[in-house]
Amino acid sequence: MEAKAIVKRLTKYRASLVNFKELGFKTIYSTNLGESVGESPEQVRKDFSRFSLKGNKKAGYEIDPLLKSINYVLGKNIIQKIIVVGMGNIGKAFIQYKWFSSQNVSIIAAFDIDPSKHNKKMGLHVHPLSQLKDIIHGHNIQIAVIATPDSAAQEICDRLVAYGVRAILNFAPVVLKVPDEIIVHNLDLVNEINSMIYYVNNHKLYSL
Amino acid sequence: MEAKAIVKRLTKYRASLVNFKELGFKTIYSTNLGESVGESPEQVRKDFSRFSLKGNKKAGYEIDPLLKSINYVLGKNIIQKIIVVGMGNIGKAFIQYKWFSSQNVSIIAAFDIDPSKHNKKMGLHVHPLSQLKDIIHGHNIQIAVIATPDSAAQEICDRLVAYGVRAILNFAPVVLKVPDEIIVHNLDLVNEINSMIYYVNNHKLYSL
DNA sequence: TAGATTGTTAATCGATTAACAATC
DNA sequence: TAGATTGTTAATCGATTAACAATC
C-alpha cells in the first residue's frame, strides 16, 4: 500500500524535469534532480532503477527520453478524462484549477444534486446526478472526484464504482467503503490542519 | 519523518470517537474503532500504547476519557488560530469550508495581493500583504495556509517563516525551501490526480 | 471459569540509506 | 588517467503485523 510513495515521487520528478527542460537543460544528474524535489540522489537513482530508467555514467540522465519514459510509466501520454461530483466551494475550486489542462487531465463534466446549478458555468456543464451513469459509460471515465457533503459521499461512491469508476479522489471527511481493487485517495482538509496542530504543539516530539 | 502516519491516524480515531459518542456509545473496542477508520485493531492498540492511552481488558476503551487524552495529545483543547494567504478559488473554498469551526480551528484572517479583494467577504476580512507581519505577531499565529499562485509561494513562505509561522499547508505546486524545524504539508491537486492515473493504468502493478 | 480483549514483545515486511563496483 | 556518476547490492531503519501473556 505504501508504494504510493514512489509514484508520488515519480510525479514530482516529472514536474521538475519539465521545468529543467523549459530552462534549456538537456541532461541532469540525480543530485540536482533530487535537490529540486527534496529527495536524496540515491532515492532518485533507486526509483529510476525500479522502473529501469537508465542514465549515463558520468553524463547523468538525458531529460527528453527520461521524460518520455516517465510519461509512459505514469500513463501521461494520453489525456485522462475525469469528472467531479459536488459543486460546493471545493468542487468549484477544483474544476477551475488551471493546472490540469497543461497536464493532460481534462475535467469533462461536473455533477450536483441542486437543480439551480445545472447549467453551463465557466465553460463546464453541471449535470444532474441522473446523468452520472450515461456520462461515465459514454466517456469511459476511470477517475472521479467526490466533493459532496459527507452525508452523500458513500452513496455517490457506491454509484461511481457501480458505473465503472476505478479511482476516487475524496474530499469528504468520511472513510469510504470500496472493493479492494478500487483506489481511494483522501484529501481531508481538517485532518491536515489537525496533524499540523500536533506538530506545532510537540516540536520536540517531531522525531517520534 | 513518517511519524506523520501515526498522527494522521490519531486525528482519524478522534473524529470517529466523536461520532461514536454522538451515537450514544460509552465504550468502544479496538476492533470497532479500527474498522471505522480502516485500520487493524492491532494498529489501534499499538498507536494508543505509544501515547500511553489505556483501555480496560474485556471492557474496551472508555470514549470520554480517551477523547480527552487524544485531544490533549493532539493539542485540540485550545482553539488554533490560522491564516490563509491567497484568495483565488482554492483559498476562498478553504475559508468557506464549514468543518473548521466545529473542530476548534479558527481562520482569523485572509490575505491577498489584489486590492480589489480587500474587504469583508463571507464574514472574514481580506487583508493586504502589508499587514501580514502585524497580524501574525498580534495573534501569535503558528499555522498558515498558502493558496497563492506558484510564482508567489516561496516569497510568501519566506515571509511567513520570518514572522514566526511554524507550520505551512501548501497548495502551490512547488517545493518550498524552509528551515528544518518548519513543518510543510503539501496538497498538490495535480500530483494527486497524476498518481491516481498511474494506478488506473497499472492495476496489476498496484502491489509494487 | 471460559472467553474475549488489552498491551507488549517478537517477527516480518518494506522502504530508505549507505556502500561500492562498474564505467564513462 | 583521475574523478565523478550511475546502478545495484547490502545494511539499516522503522513501521506494520503477528503472537501471546496478562487479566477482566
PDB file of all heavy atoms in Angstrom, chain A residues 5 8-9 12-13 30-44 47, chain B residues 175, chain C residues 16-17:
ATOM      1  N   ALA A   5       4.252   6.022  -2.234  1.00  0.00           N
ATOM      2  CA  ALA A   5       5.351   6.977  -2.109  1.00  0.00           C
ATOM      3  C   ALA A   5       6.154   7.087  -3.394  1.00  0.00           C
ATOM      4  O   ALA A   5       6.450   8.192  -3.860  1.00  0.00           O
ATOM      5  CB  ALA A   5       6.251   6.574  -0.946  1.00  0.00           C
ATOM      6  N   LYS A   8       4.226   8.960  -6.089  1.00  0.00           N
ATOM      7  CA  LYS A   8       4.206  10.404  -5.793  1.00  0.00           C
ATOM      8  C   LYS A   8       5.538  11.033  -6.173  1.00  0.00           C
ATOM      9  O   LYS A   8       5.592  12.127  -6.725  1.00  0.00           O
ATOM     10  CB  LYS A   8       3.942  10.649  -4.302  1.00  0.00           C
ATOM     11  CG  LYS A   8       2.494  10.516  -3.904  1.00  0.00           C
ATOM     12  CD  LYS A   8       1.803  11.875  -3.885  1.00  0.00           C
ATOM     13  CE  LYS A   8       0.322  11.749  -3.592  1.00  0.00           C
ATOM     14  NZ  LYS A   8       0.078  11.340  -2.199  1.00  0.00           N
ATOM     15  N   ARG A   9       6.624  10.325  -5.866  1.00  0.00           N
ATOM     16  CA  ARG A   9       7.936  10.884  -6.212  1.00  0.00           C
ATOM     17  C   ARG A   9       8.113  10.959  -7.721  1.00  0.00           C
ATOM     18  O   ARG A   9       8.620  11.945  -8.250  1.00  0.00           O
ATOM     19  CB  ARG A   9       9.052  10.047  -5.571  1.00  0.00           C
ATOM     20  CG  ARG A   9       9.192  10.273  -4.063  1.00  0.00           C
ATOM     21  CD  ARG A   9      10.529   9.770  -3.547  1.00  0.00           C
ATOM     22  NE  ARG A   9      10.713   8.358  -3.791  1.00  0.00           N
ATOM     23  CZ  ARG A   9      10.345   7.389  -2.951  1.00  0.00           C
ATOM     24  NH1 ARG A   9       9.788   7.693  -1.802  1.00  0.00           N
ATOM     25  NH2 ARG A   9      10.557   6.131  -3.265  1.00  0.00           N
ATOM     26  N   LYS A  12       6.587  13.903  -9.027  1.00  0.00           N
ATOM     27  CA  LYS A  12       7.381  15.106  -8.708  1.00  0.00           C
ATOM     28  C   LYS A  12       8.595  15.213  -9.615  1.00  0.00           C
ATOM     29  O   LYS A  12       8.931  16.301 -10.096  1.00  0.00           O
ATOM     30  CB  LYS A  12       7.832  15.080  -7.236  1.00  0.00           C
ATOM     31  CG  LYS A  12       6.721  15.347  -6.254  1.00  0.00           C
ATOM     32  CD  LYS A  12       7.243  15.760  -4.885  1.00  0.00           C
ATOM     33  CE  LYS A  12       7.970  14.613  -4.193  1.00  0.00           C
ATOM     34  NZ  LYS A  12       8.537  15.042  -2.882  1.00  0.00           N
ATOM     35  N   TYR A  13       9.279  14.094  -9.841  1.00  0.00           N
ATOM     36  CA  TYR A  13      10.418  14.120 -10.776  1.00  0.00           C
ATOM     37  C   TYR A  13       9.951  14.656 -12.121  1.00  0.00           C
ATOM     38  O   TYR A  13      10.612  15.493 -12.741  1.00  0.00           O
ATOM     39  CB  TYR A  13      10.988  12.708 -10.993  1.00  0.00           C
ATOM     40  CG  TYR A  13      11.514  12.022  -9.755  1.00  0.00           C
ATOM     41  CD1 TYR A  13      11.445  10.633  -9.629  1.00  0.00           C
ATOM     42  CD2 TYR A  13      12.089  12.753  -8.708  1.00  0.00           C
ATOM     43  CE1 TYR A  13      11.933   9.983  -8.506  1.00  0.00           C
ATOM     44  CE2 TYR A  13      12.576  12.100  -7.581  1.00  0.00           C
ATOM     45  CZ  TYR A  13      12.488  10.717  -7.482  1.00  0.00           C
ATOM     46  OH  TYR A  13      12.961  10.077  -6.375  1.00  0.00           O
ATOM     47  N   SER A  30      21.395  12.995 -10.901  1.00  0.00           N
ATOM     48  CA  SER A  30      20.483  12.605  -9.825  1.00  0.00           C
ATOM     49  C   SER A  30      20.567  13.578  -8.654  1.00  0.00           C
ATOM     50  O   SER A  30      19.577  13.814  -7.972  1.00  0.00           O
ATOM     51  CB  SER A  30      20.797  11.177  -9.363  1.00  0.00           C
ATOM     52  OG  SER A  30      22.139  11.067  -8.938  1.00  0.00           O
ATOM     53  N   THR A  31      21.746  14.140  -8.440  1.00  0.00           N
ATOM     54  CA  THR A  31      21.921  15.100  -7.343  1.00  0.00           C
ATOM     55  C   THR A  31      21.020  16.317  -7.504  1.00  0.00           C
ATOM     56  O   THR A  31      20.316  16.717  -6.570  1.00  0.00           O
ATOM     57  CB  THR A  31      23.390  15.570  -7.275  1.00  0.00           C
ATOM     58  OG1 THR A  31      24.240  14.426  -7.323  1.00  0.00           O
ATOM     59  CG2 THR A  31      23.643  16.348  -5.999  1.00  0.00           C
ATOM     60  N   ASN A  32      21.055  16.895  -8.720  1.00  0.00           N
ATOM     61  CA  ASN A  32      20.278  18.117  -8.949  1.00  0.00           C
ATOM     62  C   ASN A  32      18.783  17.840  -8.962  1.00  0.00           C
ATOM     63  O   ASN A  32      17.994  18.600  -8.408  1.00  0.00           O
ATOM     64  CB  ASN A  32      20.683  18.753 -10.287  1.00  0.00           C
ATOM     65  CG  ASN A  32      22.188  18.949 -10.381  1.00  0.00           C
ATOM     66  OD1 ASN A  32      22.827  18.418 -11.284  1.00  0.00           O
ATOM     67  ND2 ASN A  32      22.753  19.663  -9.436  1.00  0.00           N
ATOM     68  N   LEU A  33      18.419  16.750  -9.601  1.00  0.00           N
ATOM     69  CA  LEU A  33      17.000  16.412  -9.650  1.00  0.00           C
ATOM     70  C   LEU A  33      16.467  16.147  -8.245  1.00  0.00           C
ATOM     71  O   LEU A  33      15.411  16.639  -7.859  1.00  0.00           O
ATOM     72  CB  LEU A  33      16.783  15.186 -10.544  1.00  0.00           C
ATOM     73  CG  LEU A  33      15.328  14.756 -10.735  1.00  0.00           C
ATOM     74  CD1 LEU A  33      14.485  15.894 -11.285  1.00  0.00           C
ATOM     75  CD2 LEU A  33      15.237  13.541 -11.638  1.00  0.00           C
ATOM     76  N   GLY A  34      17.257  15.389  -7.480  1.00  0.00           N
ATOM     77  CA  GLY A  34      16.856  15.107  -6.109  1.00  0.00           C
ATOM     78  C   GLY A  34      16.668  16.383  -5.301  1.00  0.00           C
ATOM     79  O   GLY A  34      15.666  16.556  -4.623  1.00  0.00           O
ATOM     80  N   GLU A  35      17.643  17.281  -5.439  1.00  0.00           N
ATOM     81  CA  GLU A  35      17.563  18.519  -4.665  1.00  0.00           C
ATOM     82  C   GLU A  35      16.307  19.313  -5.027  1.00  0.00           C
ATOM     83  O   GLU A  35      15.649  19.876  -4.159  1.00  0.00           O
ATOM     84  CB  GLU A  35      18.816  19.367  -4.907  1.00  0.00           C
ATOM     85  CG  GLU A  35      19.011  20.439  -3.841  1.00  0.00           C
ATOM     86  CD  GLU A  35      19.974  21.516  -4.297  1.00  0.00           C
ATOM     87  OE1 GLU A  35      20.472  21.427  -5.450  1.00  0.00           O
ATOM     88  OE2 GLU A  35      20.210  22.457  -3.517  1.00  0.00           O
ATOM     89  N   SER A  36      15.974  19.313  -6.289  1.00  0.00           N
ATOM     90  CA  SER A  36      14.836  20.127  -6.737  1.00  0.00           C
ATOM     91  C   SER A  36      13.505  19.618  -6.196  1.00  0.00           C
ATOM     92  O   SER A  36      12.540  20.359  -6.127  1.00  0.00           O
ATOM     93  CB  SER A  36      14.795  20.184  -8.263  1.00  0.00           C
ATOM     94  OG  SER A  36      14.327  18.953  -8.781  1.00  0.00           O
ATOM     95  N   VAL A  37      13.455  18.349  -5.836  1.00  0.00           N
ATOM     96  CA  VAL A  37      12.188  17.820  -5.329  1.00  0.00           C
ATOM     97  C   VAL A  37      12.282  17.402  -3.863  1.00  0.00           C
ATOM     98  O   VAL A  37      11.330  16.871  -3.312  1.00  0.00           O
ATOM     99  CB  VAL A  37      11.702  16.606  -6.154  1.00  0.00           C
ATOM    100  CG1 VAL A  37      11.491  17.003  -7.608  1.00  0.00           C
ATOM    101  CG2 VAL A  37      12.691  15.462  -6.062  1.00  0.00           C
ATOM    102  N   GLY A  38      13.433  17.658  -3.244  1.00  0.00           N
ATOM    103  CA  GLY A  38      13.567  17.348  -1.833  1.00  0.00           C
ATOM    104  C   GLY A  38      13.830  15.887  -1.536  1.00  0.00           C
ATOM    105  O   GLY A  38      13.420  15.373  -0.490  1.00  0.00           O
ATOM    106  N   GLU A  39      14.495  15.192  -2.469  1.00  0.00           N
ATOM    107  CA  GLU A  39      14.855  13.799  -2.222  1.00  0.00           C
ATOM    108  C   GLU A  39      16.371  13.626  -2.372  1.00  0.00           C
ATOM    109  O   GLU A  39      17.035  14.436  -3.013  1.00  0.00           O
ATOM    110  CB  GLU A  39      14.142  12.864  -3.217  1.00  0.00           C
ATOM    111  CG  GLU A  39      12.621  12.953  -3.192  1.00  0.00           C
ATOM    112  CD  GLU A  39      12.005  12.341  -1.944  1.00  0.00           C
ATOM    113  OE1 GLU A  39      12.718  11.619  -1.226  1.00  0.00           O
ATOM    114  OE2 GLU A  39      10.821  12.610  -1.692  1.00  0.00           O
ATOM    115  N   SER A  40      16.895  12.543  -1.820  1.00  0.00           N
ATOM    116  CA  SER A  40      18.324  12.285  -1.943  1.00  0.00           C
ATOM    117  C   SER A  40      18.640  11.740  -3.337  1.00  0.00           C
ATOM    118  O   SER A  40      17.780  11.142  -3.981  1.00  0.00           O
ATOM    119  CB  SER A  40      18.761  11.268  -0.889  1.00  0.00           C
ATOM    120  OG  SER A  40      18.258   9.992  -1.228  1.00  0.00           O
ATOM    121  N   PRO A  41      19.886  11.946  -3.799  1.00  0.00           N
ATOM    122  CA  PRO A  41      20.275  11.397  -5.105  1.00  0.00           C
ATOM    123  C   PRO A  41      20.114   9.879  -5.157  1.00  0.00           C
ATOM    124  O   PRO A  41      19.697   9.329  -6.187  1.00  0.00           O
ATOM    125  CB  PRO A  41      21.748  11.778  -5.240  1.00  0.00           C
ATOM    126  CG  PRO A  41      22.105  12.596  -4.076  1.00  0.00           C
ATOM    127  CD  PRO A  41      20.941  12.739  -3.166  1.00  0.00           C
ATOM    128  N   GLU A  42      20.409   9.214  -4.052  1.00  0.00           N
ATOM    129  CA  GLU A  42      20.267   7.759  -4.008  1.00  0.00           C
ATOM    130  C   GLU A  42      18.802   7.359  -4.218  1.00  0.00           C
ATOM    131  O   GLU A  42      18.519   6.388  -4.915  1.00  0.00           O
ATOM    132  CB  GLU A  42      20.745   7.211  -2.658  1.00  0.00           C
ATOM    133  CG  GLU A  42      22.222   7.357  -2.398  1.00  0.00           C
ATOM    134  CD  GLU A  42      22.584   8.724  -1.825  1.00  0.00           C
ATOM    135  OE1 GLU A  42      21.656   9.556  -1.666  1.00  0.00           O
ATOM    136  OE2 GLU A  42      23.776   8.965  -1.553  1.00  0.00           O
ATOM    137  N   GLN A  43      17.912   8.116  -3.596  1.00  0.00           N
ATOM    138  CA  GLN A  43      16.491   7.821  -3.755  1.00  0.00           C
ATOM    139  C   GLN A  43      16.099   7.941  -5.221  1.00  0.00           C
ATOM    140  O   GLN A  43      15.389   7.083  -5.765  1.00  0.00           O
ATOM    141  CB  GLN A  43      15.670   8.800  -2.908  1.00  0.00           C
ATOM    142  CG  GLN A  43      14.183   8.544  -2.894  1.00  0.00           C
ATOM    143  CD  GLN A  43      13.834   7.259  -2.169  1.00  0.00           C
ATOM    144  OE1 GLN A  43      13.753   6.190  -2.785  1.00  0.00           O
ATOM    145  NE2 GLN A  43      13.665   7.321  -0.875  1.00  0.00           N
ATOM    146  N   VAL A  44      16.581   8.990  -5.870  1.00  0.00           N
ATOM    147  CA  VAL A  44      16.271   9.193  -7.289  1.00  0.00           C
ATOM    148  C   VAL A  44      16.747   8.005  -8.111  1.00  0.00           C
ATOM    149  O   VAL A  44      15.989   7.419  -8.900  1.00  0.00           O
ATOM    150  CB  VAL A  44      16.937  10.484  -7.801  1.00  0.00           C
ATOM    151  CG1 VAL A  44      16.770  10.609  -9.318  1.00  0.00           C
ATOM    152  CG2 VAL A  44      16.344  11.714  -7.098  1.00  0.00           C
ATOM    153  N   ASP A  47      14.745   4.859  -7.420  1.00  0.00           N
ATOM    154  CA  ASP A  47      13.417   4.892  -8.034  1.00  0.00           C
ATOM    155  C   ASP A  47      13.507   4.648  -9.536  1.00  0.00           C
ATOM    156  O   ASP A  47      12.717   3.882 -10.097  1.00  0.00           O
ATOM    157  CB  ASP A  47      12.750   6.259  -7.780  1.00  0.00           C
ATOM    158  CG  ASP A  47      12.322   6.433  -6.332  1.00  0.00           C
ATOM    159  OD1 ASP A  47      12.219   5.415  -5.618  1.00  0.00           O
ATOM    160  OD2 ASP A  47      12.103   7.580  -5.916  1.00  0.00           O
TER     161      ASP A  47
ATOM    162  N   VAL B 175       8.110  23.015  -4.459  1.00  0.00           N
ATOM    163  CA  VAL B 175       8.767  22.504  -3.260  1.00  0.00           C
ATOM    164  C   VAL B 175       9.302  23.695  -2.474  1.00  0.00           C
ATOM    165  O   VAL B 175      10.233  24.348  -2.913  1.00  0.00           O
ATOM    166  CB  VAL B 175       9.919  21.544  -3.622  1.00  0.00           C
ATOM    167  CG1 VAL B 175      10.632  21.077  -2.362  1.00  0.00           C
ATOM    168  CG2 VAL B 175       9.388  20.357  -4.407  1.00  0.00           C
TER     169      VAL B 175
ATOM    170  P    DT C  16      10.631   5.271   0.787  1.00  0.00           P
ATOM    171  OP1  DT C  16       9.662   6.345   0.930  1.00  0.00           O
ATOM    172  OP2  DT C  16      10.989   4.715  -0.533  1.00  0.00           O
ATOM    173  O5'  DT C  16      11.982   5.718   1.516  1.00  0.00           O
ATOM    174  C5'  DT C  16      11.998   5.774   2.920  1.00  0.00           C
ATOM    175  C4'  DT C  16      13.421   5.606   3.405  1.00  0.00           C
ATOM    176  O4'  DT C  16      13.874   4.255   3.188  1.00  0.00           O
ATOM    177  C3'  DT C  16      14.445   6.515   2.711  1.00  0.00           C
ATOM    178  O3'  DT C  16      15.096   7.242   3.746  1.00  0.00           O
ATOM    179  C2'  DT C  16      15.371   5.540   1.974  1.00  0.00           C
ATOM    180  C1'  DT C  16      15.244   4.294   2.854  1.00  0.00           C
ATOM    181  N1   DT C  16      15.579   2.976   2.232  1.00  0.00           N
ATOM    182  C2   DT C  16      16.569   2.206   2.800  1.00  0.00           C
ATOM    183  O2   DT C  16      17.208   2.557   3.776  1.00  0.00           O
ATOM    184  N3   DT C  16      16.778   0.987   2.191  1.00  0.00           N
ATOM    185  C4   DT C  16      16.108   0.483   1.084  1.00  0.00           C
ATOM    186  O4   DT C  16      16.390  -0.621   0.638  1.00  0.00           O
ATOM    187  C5   DT C  16      15.076   1.342   0.536  1.00  0.00           C
ATOM    188  C7   DT C  16      14.322   0.898  -0.655  1.00  0.00           C
ATOM    189  C6   DT C  16      14.869   2.531   1.127  1.00  0.00           C
ATOM    190  P    DT C  17      16.182   8.339   3.437  1.00  0.00           P
ATOM    191  OP1  DT C  17      16.075   9.373   4.487  1.00  0.00           O
ATOM    192  OP2  DT C  17      16.089   8.687   2.003  1.00  0.00           O
ATOM    193  O5'  DT C  17      17.539   7.555   3.671  1.00  0.00           O
ATOM    194  C5'  DT C  17      17.746   6.882   4.904  1.00  0.00           C
ATOM    195  C4'  DT C  17      19.083   6.199   4.881  1.00  0.00           C
ATOM    196  O4'  DT C  17      19.001   4.987   4.094  1.00  0.00           O
ATOM    197  C3'  DT C  17      20.217   7.031   4.284  1.00  0.00           C
ATOM    198  O3'  DT C  17      21.257   7.058   5.250  1.00  0.00           O
ATOM    199  C2'  DT C  17      20.585   6.300   2.979  1.00  0.00           C
ATOM    200  C1'  DT C  17      20.150   4.877   3.281  1.00  0.00           C
ATOM    201  N1   DT C  17      19.728   4.028   2.132  1.00  0.00           N
ATOM    202  C2   DT C  17      20.235   2.750   2.039  1.00  0.00           C
ATOM    203  O2   DT C  17      21.029   2.289   2.840  1.00  0.00           O
ATOM    204  N3   DT C  17      19.772   2.030   0.971  1.00  0.00           N
ATOM    205  C4   DT C  17      18.866   2.446  -0.002  1.00  0.00           C
ATOM    206  O4   DT C  17      18.527   1.699  -0.909  1.00  0.00           O
ATOM    207  C5   DT C  17      18.373   3.794   0.165  1.00  0.00           C
ATOM    208  C7   DT C  17      17.397   4.335  -0.826  1.00  0.00           C
ATOM    209  C6   DT C  17      18.821   4.510   1.212  1.00  0.00           C
TER     210       DT C  17
END
